[in-house]
């Protein structure tokens, strides 16, 4: 797994945990954490797919 994808997944997990804690405490700041989780999840998918595409391109050429 690429290092940047792993970092993005860690940030996503931490953002989800922070969102849950924020909502449990009654704070609307959890919405920001949910948005950050979505962004980091998309970044992880991007880095994983980019690595797979590059690996497949190198194998065919």
């Amino acid at each position: 797994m690429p290092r940047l994808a792993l970092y993005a997944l860690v940030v996503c997990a931490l953002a989800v945990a922070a969102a849950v804690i924020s909502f449990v405490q009654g704070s609307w700041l959890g919405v920001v954490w949910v948005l950050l989780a979505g962004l980091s999840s998309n970044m992880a998918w991007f880095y994983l797919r980019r690595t797979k595409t590059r690996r497949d391109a190198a194998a065919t050429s």
Side-chain angles (χ1 to χ4, degrees):
M1 178 177 282
R3 185 178 302 159
L4 288 174
L6 185 62
Y7 290 158
L9 284 176
V10 169
V11 169
C12 182
L14 290 174
V16 168
V20 168
I21 291 170
S22 293
F23 284 131
V24 165
Q25 291 179 349
S27 172
W28 284 95
L29 188 62
V31 172
V32 175
W33 291 114
V34 169
L35 293 174
L36 182 63
L39 177 67
S40 60
S41 171
N42 287 341
M43 288 174 61
W45 277 111
F46 170 77
Y47 288 125
L48 285 173
R49 294 192 74 204
R50 184 178 75 170
T51 302
K52 183 180 181 289
T53 303
R54 287 184 178 176
R55 188 177 302 142
D56 291 345
T60 58
S61 57

